[in-house]
PDB file of all heavy atoms in Angstrom:
ATOM      1  N   TRP A  39      -5.959  17.079 -61.281  1.00  0.00           N
ATOM      2  CA  TRP A  39      -5.517  16.350 -60.090  1.00  0.00           C
ATOM      3  C   TRP A  39      -5.317  17.329 -58.942  1.00  0.00           C
ATOM      4  O   TRP A  39      -4.538  18.268 -59.038  1.00  0.00           O
ATOM      5  CB  TRP A  39      -4.218  15.610 -60.376  1.00  0.00           C
ATOM      6  CG  TRP A  39      -4.436  14.497 -61.335  1.00  0.00           C
ATOM      7  CD1 TRP A  39      -4.135  14.482 -62.677  1.00  0.00           C
ATOM      8  CD2 TRP A  39      -5.024  13.238 -61.071  1.00  0.00           C
ATOM      9  NE1 TRP A  39      -4.529  13.300 -63.240  1.00  0.00           N
ATOM     10  CE2 TRP A  39      -5.069  12.511 -62.267  1.00  0.00           C
ATOM     11  CE3 TRP A  39      -5.554  12.644 -59.902  1.00  0.00           C
ATOM     12  CZ2 TRP A  39      -5.609  11.209 -62.343  1.00  0.00           C
ATOM     13  CZ3 TRP A  39      -6.069  11.369 -59.983  1.00  0.00           C
ATOM     14  CH2 TRP A  39      -6.097  10.666 -61.201  1.00  0.00           C
ATOM     15  N   HIS A  40      -6.031  17.106 -57.842  1.00  0.00           N
ATOM     16  CA  HIS A  40      -6.011  17.989 -56.681  1.00  0.00           C
ATOM     17  C   HIS A  40      -5.152  17.478 -55.524  1.00  0.00           C
ATOM     18  O   HIS A  40      -4.743  18.270 -54.690  1.00  0.00           O
ATOM     19  CB  HIS A  40      -7.431  18.195 -56.154  1.00  0.00           C
ATOM     20  CG  HIS A  40      -8.233  19.109 -57.031  1.00  0.00           C
ATOM     21  ND1 HIS A  40      -8.349  20.436 -56.794  1.00  0.00           N
ATOM     22  CD2 HIS A  40      -8.916  18.860 -58.178  1.00  0.00           C
ATOM     23  CE1 HIS A  40      -9.098  20.995 -57.737  1.00  0.00           C
ATOM     24  NE2 HIS A  40      -9.454  20.051 -58.602  1.00  0.00           N
ATOM     25  N   TRP A  41      -4.900  16.169 -55.489  1.00  0.00           N
ATOM     26  CA  TRP A  41      -4.083  15.626 -54.385  1.00  0.00           C
ATOM     27  C   TRP A  41      -3.656  14.231 -54.785  1.00  0.00           C
ATOM     28  O   TRP A  41      -4.436  13.420 -55.244  1.00  0.00           O
ATOM     29  CB  TRP A  41      -4.896  15.576 -53.099  1.00  0.00           C
ATOM     30  CG  TRP A  41      -4.140  15.373 -51.818  1.00  0.00           C
ATOM     31  CD1 TRP A  41      -2.796  15.473 -51.599  1.00  0.00           C
ATOM     32  CD2 TRP A  41      -4.718  15.028 -50.550  1.00  0.00           C
ATOM     33  NE1 TRP A  41      -2.506  15.234 -50.287  1.00  0.00           N
ATOM     34  CE2 TRP A  41      -3.683  14.958 -49.629  1.00  0.00           C
ATOM     35  CE3 TRP A  41      -6.025  14.799 -50.135  1.00  0.00           C
ATOM     36  CZ2 TRP A  41      -3.895  14.653 -48.280  1.00  0.00           C
ATOM     37  CZ3 TRP A  41      -6.246  14.490 -48.803  1.00  0.00           C
ATOM     38  CH2 TRP A  41      -5.186  14.426 -47.889  1.00  0.00           C
ATOM     39  N   VAL A  42      -2.386  13.968 -54.614  1.00  0.00           N
ATOM     40  CA  VAL A  42      -1.801  12.670 -54.925  1.00  0.00           C
ATOM     41  C   VAL A  42      -0.888  12.293 -53.758  1.00  0.00           C
ATOM     42  O   VAL A  42       0.095  12.976 -53.508  1.00  0.00           O
ATOM     43  CB  VAL A  42      -0.994  12.715 -56.241  1.00  0.00           C
ATOM     44  CG1 VAL A  42      -0.347  11.364 -56.528  1.00  0.00           C
ATOM     45  CG2 VAL A  42      -1.864  13.163 -57.413  1.00  0.00           C
ATOM     46  N   ALA A  43      -1.242  11.267 -53.024  1.00  0.00           N
ATOM     47  CA  ALA A  43      -0.412  10.798 -51.908  1.00  0.00           C
ATOM     48  C   ALA A  43      -0.277   9.295 -52.011  1.00  0.00           C
ATOM     49  O   ALA A  43      -1.282   8.584 -52.203  1.00  0.00           O
ATOM     50  CB  ALA A  43      -1.051  11.178 -50.574  1.00  0.00           C
ATOM     51  N   PHE A  44       0.948   8.797 -51.912  1.00  0.00           N
ATOM     52  CA  PHE A  44       1.161   7.355 -52.034  1.00  0.00           C
ATOM     53  C   PHE A  44       2.261   6.901 -51.072  1.00  0.00           C
ATOM     54  O   PHE A  44       2.874   7.700 -50.398  1.00  0.00           O
ATOM     55  CB  PHE A  44       1.468   6.960 -53.471  1.00  0.00           C
ATOM     56  CG  PHE A  44       2.643   7.674 -54.115  1.00  0.00           C
ATOM     57  CD1 PHE A  44       3.888   7.081 -54.126  1.00  0.00           C
ATOM     58  CD2 PHE A  44       2.474   8.910 -54.714  1.00  0.00           C
ATOM     59  CE1 PHE A  44       4.967   7.741 -54.733  1.00  0.00           C
ATOM     60  CE2 PHE A  44       3.535   9.577 -55.309  1.00  0.00           C
ATOM     61  CZ  PHE A  44       4.803   8.985 -55.318  1.00  0.00           C
ATOM     62  N   ASN A  45       2.426   5.606 -51.009  1.00  0.00           N
ATOM     63  CA  ASN A  45       3.317   4.963 -50.034  1.00  0.00           C
ATOM     64  C   ASN A  45       2.822   5.215 -48.602  1.00  0.00           C
ATOM     65  O   ASN A  45       3.618   5.353 -47.678  1.00  0.00           O
ATOM     66  CB  ASN A  45       4.781   5.383 -50.201  1.00  0.00           C
ATOM     67  CG  ASN A  45       5.337   4.973 -51.560  1.00  0.00           C
ATOM     68  OD1 ASN A  45       4.743   4.164 -52.274  1.00  0.00           O
ATOM     69  ND2 ASN A  45       6.468   5.505 -51.921  1.00  0.00           N
ATOM     70  N   ILE A  46       1.517   5.268 -48.438  1.00  0.00           N
ATOM     71  CA  ILE A  46       0.896   5.388 -47.134  1.00  0.00           C
ATOM     72  C   ILE A  46       1.018   4.016 -46.478  1.00  0.00           C
ATOM     73  O   ILE A  46       0.568   3.020 -47.042  1.00  0.00           O
ATOM     74  CB  ILE A  46      -0.588   5.814 -47.237  1.00  0.00           C
ATOM     75  CG1 ILE A  46      -0.690   7.156 -47.980  1.00  0.00           C
ATOM     76  CG2 ILE A  46      -1.233   5.876 -45.851  1.00  0.00           C
ATOM     77  CD1 ILE A  46      -2.113   7.560 -48.360  1.00  0.00           C
ATOM     78  N   PRO A  47       1.654   3.923 -45.313  1.00  0.00           N
ATOM     79  CA  PRO A  47       1.897   2.614 -44.691  1.00  0.00           C
ATOM     80  C   PRO A  47       0.631   1.785 -44.462  1.00  0.00           C
ATOM     81  O   PRO A  47      -0.445   2.338 -44.187  1.00  0.00           O
ATOM     82  CB  PRO A  47       2.545   2.979 -43.346  1.00  0.00           C
ATOM     83  CG  PRO A  47       3.125   4.339 -43.566  1.00  0.00           C
ATOM     84  CD  PRO A  47       2.202   5.022 -44.513  1.00  0.00           C
ATOM     85  N   ALA A  48       0.750   0.488 -44.587  1.00  0.00           N
ATOM     86  CA  ALA A  48      -0.379  -0.432 -44.482  1.00  0.00           C
ATOM     87  C   ALA A  48      -1.082  -0.345 -43.144  1.00  0.00           C
ATOM     88  O   ALA A  48      -2.289  -0.606 -43.066  1.00  0.00           O
ATOM     89  CB  ALA A  48       0.085  -1.869 -44.746  1.00  0.00           C
ATOM     90  N   ALA A  49      -0.397   0.017 -42.090  1.00  0.00           N
ATOM     91  CA  ALA A  49      -1.015   0.097 -40.744  1.00  0.00           C
ATOM     92  C   ALA A  49      -1.826   1.377 -40.564  1.00  0.00           C
ATOM     93  O   ALA A  49      -2.594   1.479 -39.599  1.00  0.00           O
ATOM     94  CB  ALA A  49       0.053   0.025 -39.671  1.00  0.00           C
ATOM     95  N   THR A  50      -1.731   2.314 -41.489  1.00  0.00           N
ATOM     96  CA  THR A  50      -2.445   3.575 -41.394  1.00  0.00           C
ATOM     97  C   THR A  50      -3.924   3.354 -41.685  1.00  0.00           C
ATOM     98  O   THR A  50      -4.263   2.660 -42.637  1.00  0.00           O
ATOM     99  CB  THR A  50      -1.875   4.612 -42.385  1.00  0.00           C
ATOM    100  OG1 THR A  50      -0.467   4.751 -42.137  1.00  0.00           O
ATOM    101  CG2 THR A  50      -2.542   5.949 -42.277  1.00  0.00           C
ATOM    102  N   ARG A  51      -4.780   3.978 -40.854  1.00  0.00           N
ATOM    103  CA  ARG A  51      -6.227   3.875 -41.075  1.00  0.00           C
ATOM    104  C   ARG A  51      -6.897   5.222 -41.134  1.00  0.00           C
ATOM    105  O   ARG A  51      -8.133   5.290 -41.234  1.00  0.00           O
ATOM    106  CB  ARG A  51      -6.884   3.022 -39.989  1.00  0.00           C
ATOM    107  CG  ARG A  51      -6.494   1.567 -39.995  1.00  0.00           C
ATOM    108  CD  ARG A  51      -6.977   0.859 -41.256  1.00  0.00           C
ATOM    109  NE  ARG A  51      -6.603  -0.542 -41.291  1.00  0.00           N
ATOM    110  CZ  ARG A  51      -5.481  -1.030 -41.789  1.00  0.00           C
ATOM    111  NH1 ARG A  51      -4.564  -0.234 -42.300  1.00  0.00           N
ATOM    112  NH2 ARG A  51      -5.233  -2.327 -41.774  1.00  0.00           N
ATOM    113  N   ALA A  52      -6.117   6.306 -41.075  1.00  0.00           N
ATOM    114  CA  ALA A  52      -6.721   7.644 -41.138  1.00  0.00           C
ATOM    115  C   ALA A  52      -5.663   8.677 -41.485  1.00  0.00           C
ATOM    116  O   ALA A  52      -4.474   8.485 -41.221  1.00  0.00           O
ATOM    117  CB  ALA A  52      -7.359   7.992 -39.805  1.00  0.00           C
ATOM    118  N   LEU A  53      -6.135   9.760 -42.057  1.00  0.00           N
ATOM    119  CA  LEU A  53      -5.323  10.964 -42.282  1.00  0.00           C
ATOM    120  C   LEU A  53      -6.060  12.124 -41.606  1.00  0.00           C
ATOM    121  O   LEU A  53      -7.271  12.282 -41.806  1.00  0.00           O
ATOM    122  CB  LEU A  53      -5.155  11.259 -43.764  1.00  0.00           C
ATOM    123  CG  LEU A  53      -4.378  10.224 -44.589  1.00  0.00           C
ATOM    124  CD1 LEU A  53      -4.366  10.619 -46.070  1.00  0.00           C
ATOM    125  CD2 LEU A  53      -2.964  10.048 -44.061  1.00  0.00           C
ATOM    126  N   ALA A  54      -5.347  12.910 -40.856  1.00  0.00           N
ATOM    127  CA  ALA A  54      -5.938  14.038 -40.148  1.00  0.00           C
ATOM    128  C   ALA A  54      -6.282  15.168 -41.134  1.00  0.00           C
ATOM    129  O   ALA A  54      -5.657  15.282 -42.194  1.00  0.00           O
ATOM    130  CB  ALA A  54      -4.961  14.575 -39.105  1.00  0.00           C
ATOM    131  N   ALA A  55      -7.234  15.980 -40.789  1.00  0.00           N
ATOM    132  CA  ALA A  55      -7.524  17.182 -41.561  1.00  0.00           C
ATOM    133  C   ALA A  55      -6.230  17.997 -41.642  1.00  0.00           C
ATOM    134  O   ALA A  55      -5.495  18.110 -40.671  1.00  0.00           O
ATOM    135  CB  ALA A  55      -8.628  18.012 -40.919  1.00  0.00           C
ATOM    136  N   GLY A  56      -5.936  18.492 -42.825  1.00  0.00           N
ATOM    137  CA  GLY A  56      -4.720  19.266 -43.018  1.00  0.00           C
ATOM    138  C   GLY A  56      -3.495  18.450 -43.367  1.00  0.00           C
ATOM    139  O   GLY A  56      -2.421  19.007 -43.585  1.00  0.00           O
ATOM    140  N   ALA A  57      -3.629  17.131 -43.426  1.00  0.00           N
ATOM    141  CA  ALA A  57      -2.487  16.264 -43.769  1.00  0.00           C
ATOM    142  C   ALA A  57      -1.909  16.601 -45.135  1.00  0.00           C
ATOM    143  O   ALA A  57      -0.741  16.338 -45.412  1.00  0.00           O
ATOM    144  CB  ALA A  57      -2.872  14.791 -43.696  1.00  0.00           C
ATOM    145  N   GLY A  58      -2.726  17.163 -46.001  1.00  0.00           N
ATOM    146  CA  GLY A  58      -2.265  17.532 -47.345  1.00  0.00           C
ATOM    147  C   GLY A  58      -1.423  18.789 -47.407  1.00  0.00           C
ATOM    148  O   GLY A  58      -0.892  19.140 -48.457  1.00  0.00           O
ATOM    149  N   THR A  59      -1.244  19.448 -46.279  1.00  0.00           N
ATOM    150  CA  THR A  59      -0.362  20.615 -46.202  1.00  0.00           C
ATOM    151  C   THR A  59       1.029  20.118 -45.842  1.00  0.00           C
ATOM    152  O   THR A  59       1.258  19.670 -44.708  1.00  0.00           O
ATOM    153  CB  THR A  59      -0.858  21.632 -45.150  1.00  0.00           C
ATOM    154  OG1 THR A  59      -2.178  22.029 -45.493  1.00  0.00           O
ATOM    155  CG2 THR A  59       0.042  22.850 -45.099  1.00  0.00           C
ATOM    156  N   ILE A  60       1.935  20.136 -46.770  1.00  0.00           N
ATOM    157  CA  ILE A  60       3.271  19.562 -46.588  1.00  0.00           C
ATOM    158  C   ILE A  60       3.949  20.134 -45.348  1.00  0.00           C
ATOM    159  O   ILE A  60       4.502  19.414 -44.534  1.00  0.00           O
ATOM    160  CB  ILE A  60       4.159  19.812 -47.829  1.00  0.00           C
ATOM    161  CG1 ILE A  60       3.496  19.243 -49.059  1.00  0.00           C
ATOM    162  CG2 ILE A  60       5.576  19.290 -47.616  1.00  0.00           C
ATOM    163  CD1 ILE A  60       3.875  17.913 -49.546  1.00  0.00           C
ATOM    164  N   SER A  61       3.871  21.453 -45.183  1.00  0.00           N
ATOM    165  CA  SER A  61       4.580  22.086 -44.068  1.00  0.00           C
ATOM    166  C   SER A  61       3.999  21.716 -42.699  1.00  0.00           C
ATOM    167  O   SER A  61       4.686  21.880 -41.692  1.00  0.00           O
ATOM    168  CB  SER A  61       4.559  23.618 -44.214  1.00  0.00           C
ATOM    169  OG  SER A  61       3.223  24.086 -44.200  1.00  0.00           O
ATOM    170  N   ALA A  62       2.790  21.166 -42.659  1.00  0.00           N
ATOM    171  CA  ALA A  62       2.195  20.767 -41.378  1.00  0.00           C
ATOM    172  C   ALA A  62       2.898  19.544 -40.786  1.00  0.00           C
ATOM    173  O   ALA A  62       2.900  19.351 -39.581  1.00  0.00           O
ATOM    174  CB  ALA A  62       0.706  20.481 -41.542  1.00  0.00           C
ATOM    175  N   GLY A  63       3.493  18.723 -41.661  1.00  0.00           N
ATOM    176  CA  GLY A  63       4.232  17.549 -41.194  1.00  0.00           C
ATOM    177  C   GLY A  63       3.400  16.508 -40.470  1.00  0.00           C
ATOM    178  O   GLY A  63       3.914  15.840 -39.567  1.00  0.00           O
ATOM    179  N   VAL A  64       2.135  16.359 -40.826  1.00  0.00           N
ATOM    180  CA  VAL A  64       1.282  15.395 -40.124  1.00  0.00           C
ATOM    181  C   VAL A  64       1.070  14.092 -40.888  1.00  0.00           C
ATOM    182  O   VAL A  64       0.408  13.194 -40.364  1.00  0.00           O
ATOM    183  CB  VAL A  64      -0.092  16.012 -39.740  1.00  0.00           C
ATOM    184  CG1 VAL A  64       0.102  17.139 -38.764  1.00  0.00           C
ATOM    185  CG2 VAL A  64      -0.841  16.480 -40.956  1.00  0.00           C
ATOM    186  N   MET A  65       1.603  13.989 -42.075  1.00  0.00           N
ATOM    187  CA  MET A  65       1.498  12.723 -42.811  1.00  0.00           C
ATOM    188  C   MET A  65       2.351  11.663 -42.125  1.00  0.00           C
ATOM    189  O   MET A  65       3.411  11.989 -41.569  1.00  0.00           O
ATOM    190  CB  MET A  65       1.986  12.876 -44.242  1.00  0.00           C
ATOM    191  CG  MET A  65       0.931  13.316 -45.203  1.00  0.00           C
ATOM    192  SD  MET A  65      -0.267  12.029 -45.553  1.00  0.00           S
ATOM    193  CE  MET A  65      -1.093  12.796 -46.921  1.00  0.00           C
ATOM    194  N   PRO A  66       1.914  10.402 -42.183  1.00  0.00           N
ATOM    195  CA  PRO A  66       2.770   9.324 -41.646  1.00  0.00           C
ATOM    196  C   PRO A  66       4.118   9.314 -42.360  1.00  0.00           C
ATOM    197  O   PRO A  66       4.233   9.701 -43.527  1.00  0.00           O
ATOM    198  CB  PRO A  66       1.983   8.057 -41.951  1.00  0.00           C
ATOM    199  CG  PRO A  66       0.554   8.500 -42.101  1.00  0.00           C
ATOM    200  CD  PRO A  66       0.644   9.889 -42.670  1.00  0.00           C
ATOM    201  N   GLU A  67       5.124   8.860 -41.659  1.00  0.00           N
ATOM    202  CA  GLU A  67       6.479   8.812 -42.233  1.00  0.00           C
ATOM    203  C   GLU A  67       6.485   7.915 -43.466  1.00  0.00           C
ATOM    204  O   GLU A  67       5.874   6.861 -43.509  1.00  0.00           O
ATOM    205  CB  GLU A  67       7.456   8.235 -41.201  1.00  0.00           C
ATOM    206  CG  GLU A  67       8.903   8.337 -41.645  1.00  0.00           C
ATOM    207  CD  GLU A  67       9.873   7.918 -40.559  1.00  0.00           C
ATOM    208  OE1 GLU A  67       9.529   8.034 -39.364  1.00  0.00           O
ATOM    209  OE2 GLU A  67      10.972   7.491 -40.918  1.00  0.00           O
ATOM    210  N   GLY A  68       7.194   8.391 -44.509  1.00  0.00           N
ATOM    211  CA  GLY A  68       7.333   7.639 -45.732  1.00  0.00           C
ATOM    212  C   GLY A  68       6.329   7.978 -46.818  1.00  0.00           C
ATOM    213  O   GLY A  68       6.477   7.579 -47.973  1.00  0.00           O
ATOM    214  N   VAL A  69       5.281   8.715 -46.492  1.00  0.00           N
ATOM    215  CA  VAL A  69       4.273   9.080 -47.471  1.00  0.00           C
ATOM    216  C   VAL A  69       4.854  10.103 -48.425  1.00  0.00           C
ATOM    217  O   VAL A  69       5.531  11.048 -48.025  1.00  0.00           O
ATOM    218  CB  VAL A  69       2.992   9.661 -46.794  1.00  0.00           C
ATOM    219  CG1 VAL A  69       2.001  10.169 -47.844  1.00  0.00           C
ATOM    220  CG2 VAL A  69       2.341   8.599 -45.922  1.00  0.00           C
ATOM    221  N   VAL A  70       4.599   9.906 -49.710  1.00  0.00           N
ATOM    222  CA  VAL A  70       5.013  10.848 -50.747  1.00  0.00           C
ATOM    223  C   VAL A  70       3.769  11.576 -51.224  1.00  0.00           C
ATOM    224  O   VAL A  70       2.770  10.950 -51.577  1.00  0.00           O
ATOM    225  CB  VAL A  70       5.688  10.121 -51.929  1.00  0.00           C
ATOM    226  CG1 VAL A  70       6.044  11.124 -53.027  1.00  0.00           C
ATOM    227  CG2 VAL A  70       6.912   9.353 -51.461  1.00  0.00           C
ATOM    228  N   GLN A  71       3.820  12.912 -51.206  1.00  0.00           N
ATOM    229  CA  GLN A  71       2.759  13.704 -51.790  1.00  0.00           C
ATOM    230  C   GLN A  71       3.261  14.203 -53.134  1.00  0.00           C
ATOM    231  O   GLN A  71       4.245  14.957 -53.191  1.00  0.00           O
ATOM    232  CB  GLN A  71       2.344  14.843 -50.869  1.00  0.00           C
ATOM    233  CG  GLN A  71       1.698  14.329 -49.578  1.00  0.00           C
ATOM    234  CD  GLN A  71       0.983  15.415 -48.832  1.00  0.00           C
ATOM    235  OE1 GLN A  71       0.000  15.957 -49.331  1.00  0.00           O
ATOM    236  NE2 GLN A  71       1.469  15.716 -47.632  1.00  0.00           N
ATOM    237  N   GLY A  72       2.625  13.751 -54.180  1.00  0.00           N
ATOM    238  CA  GLY A  72       3.085  14.059 -55.530  1.00  0.00           C
ATOM    239  C   GLY A  72       2.578  15.392 -56.050  1.00  0.00           C
ATOM    240  O   GLY A  72       1.730  16.063 -55.432  1.00  0.00           O
ATOM    241  N   ARG A  73       3.095  15.716 -57.187  1.00  0.00           N
ATOM    242  CA  ARG A  73       2.773  16.965 -57.870  1.00  0.00           C
ATOM    243  C   ARG A  73       1.320  16.933 -58.384  1.00  0.00           C
ATOM    244  O   ARG A  73       0.896  15.971 -59.025  1.00  0.00           O
ATOM    245  CB  ARG A  73       3.728  17.134 -59.040  1.00  0.00           C
ATOM    246  CG  ARG A  73       3.714  18.454 -59.720  1.00  0.00           C
ATOM    247  CD  ARG A  73       4.913  18.611 -60.650  1.00  0.00           C
ATOM    248  NE  ARG A  73       5.282  17.401 -61.336  1.00  0.00           N
ATOM    249  CZ  ARG A  73       4.948  17.131 -62.606  1.00  0.00           C
ATOM    250  NH1 ARG A  73       4.226  17.968 -63.304  1.00  0.00           N
ATOM    251  NH2 ARG A  73       5.336  16.003 -63.183  1.00  0.00           N
ATOM    252  N   THR A  74       0.581  17.981 -58.110  1.00  0.00           N
ATOM    253  CA  THR A  74      -0.797  18.100 -58.586  1.00  0.00           C
ATOM    254  C   THR A  74      -0.818  18.984 -59.840  1.00  0.00           C
ATOM    255  O   THR A  74       0.234  19.504 -60.252  1.00  0.00           O
ATOM    256  CB  THR A  74      -1.694  18.723 -57.511  1.00  0.00           C
ATOM    257  OG1 THR A  74      -1.311  20.089 -57.336  1.00  0.00           O
ATOM    258  CG2 THR A  74      -1.591  17.978 -56.197  1.00  0.00           C
ATOM    259  N   ASP A  75      -2.003  19.217 -60.379  1.00  0.00           N
ATOM    260  CA  ASP A  75      -2.112  20.115 -61.525  1.00  0.00           C
ATOM    261  C   ASP A  75      -1.965  21.575 -61.161  1.00  0.00           C
ATOM    262  O   ASP A  75      -1.925  22.431 -62.033  1.00  0.00           O
ATOM    263  CB  ASP A  75      -3.409  19.828 -62.279  1.00  0.00           C
ATOM    264  CG  ASP A  75      -3.309  18.530 -63.076  1.00  0.00           C
ATOM    265  OD1 ASP A  75      -2.207  18.135 -63.446  1.00  0.00           O
ATOM    266  OD2 ASP A  75      -4.365  17.905 -63.302  1.00  0.00           O
ATOM    267  N   PHE A  76      -1.873  21.874 -59.874  1.00  0.00           N
ATOM    268  CA  PHE A  76      -1.530  23.238 -59.444  1.00  0.00           C
ATOM    269  C   PHE A  76      -0.017  23.466 -59.606  1.00  0.00           C
ATOM    270  O   PHE A  76       0.477  24.565 -59.425  1.00  0.00           O
ATOM    271  CB  PHE A  76      -1.923  23.483 -57.987  1.00  0.00           C
ATOM    272  CG  PHE A  76      -3.420  23.573 -57.782  1.00  0.00           C
ATOM    273  CD1 PHE A  76      -4.113  22.552 -57.175  1.00  0.00           C
ATOM    274  CD2 PHE A  76      -4.117  24.694 -58.202  1.00  0.00           C
ATOM    275  CE1 PHE A  76      -5.495  22.654 -56.985  1.00  0.00           C
ATOM    276  CE2 PHE A  76      -5.484  24.810 -58.021  1.00  0.00           C
ATOM    277  CZ  PHE A  76      -6.178  23.771 -57.403  1.00  0.00           C
ATOM    278  N   GLY A  77       0.740  22.381 -59.895  1.00  0.00           N
ATOM    279  CA  GLY A  77       2.183  22.488 -60.084  1.00  0.00           C
ATOM    280  C   GLY A  77       3.007  22.255 -58.842  1.00  0.00           C
ATOM    281  O   GLY A  77       4.222  22.375 -58.863  1.00  0.00           O
TER     282      GLY A  77
END
């Protein structure tokens, strides 16, 4: 598992490049990025 993101709001239609970097803070509010197999 390389990326797990859930609770992405229904009105969302895109994720920006780099949204998977937690510290970037670009995910829509409320999205949970779960633990991957990288730990």
Side-chain angles (χ1 to χ4, degrees):
W39 292 102
H40 286 264
W41 195 14
V42 178
F44 55 96
N45 297 347
I46 302 169
T50 304
R51 293 295 180 271
L53 296 176
T59 302
I60 303 262
S61 62
V64 297
M65 272 289 191
E67 189 173 333
V69 174
V70 177
Q71 294 195 65
R73 190 167 38 100
T74 68
D75 286 333
F76 289 107

